[in-house]
Amino acid sequence: MKNKWMILILILIFMSALVGCKKEAIIEKDIAEMSFDEIIEAARGTTVTFYGWGGSEDINKWLDETVAKTLMDQYEVTLERVPMVPTEYLPKLLNEKQLASEGTIDVLWINGENFYSAKTNDLLYGPFTEKLPNFNTYVDGTSPDVLYDFGQPVEGYEAPYGKAQMVFIGDTDQLLTLPKGHEELLELAKAQPGKLTYIDASHFTGSAFVRNIIYDIIGYEVFIDHVADKEVLRETIQPAIDYLKELKPYLWREGVTYPAEDAQMDNMFEDGEIYMTMTYTPFHVAGKIADGSFPKTAQGFLFDKGTIGNTHFMAMPFNAPNKAAAMVLINHILSPEIQVTKYDPSIWGDLPVTDPLKLTETQMALFDAVDIGQGTVPQEELLVKRMPEMRADLVPIIEEIWRDEIPGN
């Protein structure tokens, strides 16, 4: 009997070693040559690190609970979220590249200027999106929102995460009309001195507001092939700079200072210190009304000519230590069942990247069942009035011109 138990134990040890060897062989195999089933098997039982902005408790909770739980349930992969912004993780990656050191980051939340910088400096792994079943099944890979990131070709080095669009929010109890463009905004500011402002243009939302004003006055077509030269660009956007100078004395604190970030401006709006705020999250207003932060008279709106929309993406560093789990996580987030959970304004209110035409009736019903809440701009209007982002190499120049010309002057 004792011998039988010894034999059984030896068999179990042998089988365990065999499975381990098989998995190790899969991991050592070039991930580009692996099937997605092999990638899933290589990822099983491992941890994937996700680096990105951690400034929203709602988004953090969604990642830590909804995404992490379903990732573990379906793939036995542990999600570790690390709050770190691109200005911190890009130098880290550059340093690792220069020292040829081992990688520490598996997935990045990235887009715009930061993607341009990372891709230019060969800090990203790819192309990889063609390996992802959910990308190929549910995402329109020919859409400009997916092909380009702030005018830069993506070329498979990023997978879409969600869609953002600039939305203005006004308190209709304080404002008789909501401005339909820059001219009406100026009229409103003159009628309500000190009750309007915008976020400092060094912040991405404030920068987007300035670009929206530029588009509303000048249009966006001229910037598609515009030279990235500060003085030439200054001459092009001078009418918008002149407008912002005219607007300035009617703003909160006469435009001598500006809110530093979204949260500060939202708090000012909540307190009635200002009558308008702005966001890159289209259904943000619904969540704020629902939790009692914003008054029920808060209403989202767009300019008639439209507002800037862009896509935020997920990418993998060139030296990601767990590329298999990174691909599993990215593919998982691209599933309609996960995309719909962040579409809900009570959770995040992020626009999905799945193409409605590629969804089954059952999947589409999941999105149709979401209550987008009070005060929101319908998705149909958002899509009709969605304007393309400016090229990434032009954005920091415009921000620099704004700092030269507007604050404190």
Side-chain angles (χ1 to χ4, degrees):
M1 186 71 177
K2 185 176 180 180
N3 288 339
K4 289 182 178 179
W5 278 109
M6 288 296 295
I7 292 171
L8 179 60
I9 289 169
L10 288 172
I11 290 172
L12 290 173
I13 292 172
F14 175 76
M15 290 177 66
S16 176
L18 189 64
V19 170
C21 289
K22 182 179 179 183
K23 188 167 185 177
E24 184 177 350
I26 291 175
I27 293 172
E28 289 179 352
K29 187 177 180 180
D30 187 343
I31 198 162
E33 300 174 1
M34 293 164 62
S35 69
F36 202 75
D37 285 342
E38 289 177 318
I39 290 172
I40 291 173
E41 184 59 32
R44 201 175 298 280
T46 67
T47 296
V48 60
T49 57
F50 181 95
Y51 279 59
W53 179 61
S56 166
E57 289 305 313
D58 289 340
I59 298 173
N60 294 344
K61 184 179 180 181
W62 174 76
L63 283 165
D64 294 342
E65 296 180 7
T66 301
V67 177
K69 183 180 185 305
T70 52
L71 188 70
M72 173 56 71
D73 290 346
Q74 295 181 37
Y75 302 104
E76 297 176 28
V77 173
T78 300
L79 174 61
E80 180 183 341
R81 179 182 59 81
V82 182
M84 187 179 289
V85 294
T87 52
E88 296 171 316
Y89 66 62
L90 288 181
K92 173 179 170 65
L93 287 175
L94 195 58
N95 186 57
E96 289 175 354
K97 187 176 183 66
Q98 291 170 344
L99 297 177
S101 59
E102 188 176 346
T104 54
I105 304 171
D106 295 314
V107 179
L108 302 168
W109 178 0
I110 192 170
N111 78 318
E113 301 164 62
N114 301 304
F115 169 68
Y116 174 72
S117 176
K119 189 164 177 277
T120 301
N121 287 284
D122 297 322
L123 298 180
L124 301 179
Y125 172 82
F128 69 89
T129 53
E130 71 275 6
K131 301 286 293 186
L132 307 177
N134 287 338
F135 178 87
N136 295 318
T137 304
Y138 301 116
V139 176
D140 180 3
T142 65
S143 167
D145 277 356
V146 176
L147 287 173
Y148 297 95
D149 184 354
F150 277 64
Q152 301 301 320
V154 170
E155 298 176 329
Y157 282 81
E158 296 178 305
Y161 186 16
K163 292 183 179 182
Q165 187 166 343
M166 173 65 79
V167 171
F168 306 115
I169 301 168
D171 185 353
T172 56
D173 192 41
Q174 302 294 339
L175 305 175
L176 295 178
T177 60
L178 299 174
K180 298 179 180 179
H182 69 281
E183 292 176 341
E184 290 189 12
L185 181 65
L186 179 59
E187 291 173 6
L188 186 62
K190 289 179 178 180
Q192 301 274 14
K195 290 300 184 179
L196 303 181
T197 189
Y198 59 93
I199 299 167
D200 189 297
S202 297
H203 185 276
F204 65 88
T205 306
S207 176
F209 170 79
V210 171
R211 296 196 302 280
N212 267 278
I213 292 297
I214 291 171
Y215 277 6
D216 208 59
I217 295 172
I218 300 166
Y220 69 85
E221 295 86 355
V222 67
F223 299 100
I224 296 173
D225 297 314
H226 200 289
V227 61
D229 178 89
K230 183 176 180 180
E231 294 312 313
V232 177
L233 192 55
R234 187 195 301 271
E235 183 177 349
T236 301
I237 67 171
Q238 193 60 51
I241 294 297
D242 291 341
Y243 168 85
L244 291 172
K245 287 181 177 179
E246 186 179 0
L247 178 68
K248 181 184 167 88
Y250 303 103
L251 298 178
W252 173 72
R253 294 187 178 177
E254 298 181 342
V256 173
T257 186
Y258 297 81
E261 60 181 5
D262 303 57
Q264 182 184 353
M265 192 163 178
D266 277 357
N267 288 337
M268 292 164 63
F269 181 73
E270 291 170 21
D271 295 339
E273 192 172 359
I274 56 174
Y275 298 156
M276 266 183 59
T277 186
M278 58 191 65
T279 179
Y280 240 138
T281 304
F283 302 147
H284 175 69
V285 61
K288 286 290 189 177
I289 292 174
D291 68 16
S293 300
F294 284 3
K296 292 183 179 180
T297 50
Q299 177 62 52
F301 67 97
L302 310 174
F303 283 169
D304 281 353
K305 291 182 181 179
T307 58
I308 291 174
N310 65 53
T311 303
H312 34 280
F313 291 85
M314 299 170 286
M316 298 163 55
F318 71 99
N319 61 347
N322 194 353
K323 293 183 177 67
M327 286 196 183
V328 169
L329 171 63
I330 293 170
N331 186 70
H332 184 58
I333 289 175
L334 288 176
S335 70
E337 291 73 19
I338 295 299
Q339 285 286 309
V340 75
T341 62
K342 65 184 180 65
Y343 179 58
D344 188 334
S346 67
I347 296 174
W348 181 350
D350 196 36
L351 293 176
V353 297
T354 47
D355 181 354
L357 297 178
K358 293 178 176 289
L359 301 180
T360 65
E361 288 185 8
T362 301
Q363 290 166 338
M364 197 63 230
L366 295 175
F367 288 92
D368 291 339
V370 173
D371 180 4
I372 63 172
Q374 192 174 346
T376 56
V377 178
Q379 186 175 187
E380 295 77 13
E381 183 180 349
L382 288 167
L383 295 176
V384 169
K385 294 184 176 180
R386 186 176 177 88
M387 302 175 77
E389 256 297 359
M390 200 172 285
R391 287 204 334 263
D393 54 340
L394 300 180
V395 173
I397 303 175
I398 288 174
E399 293 169 354
E400 186 177 342
I401 294 171
W402 181 86
R403 287 190 292 268
D404 290 346
E405 299 279 354
I406 304 301
N409 293 333

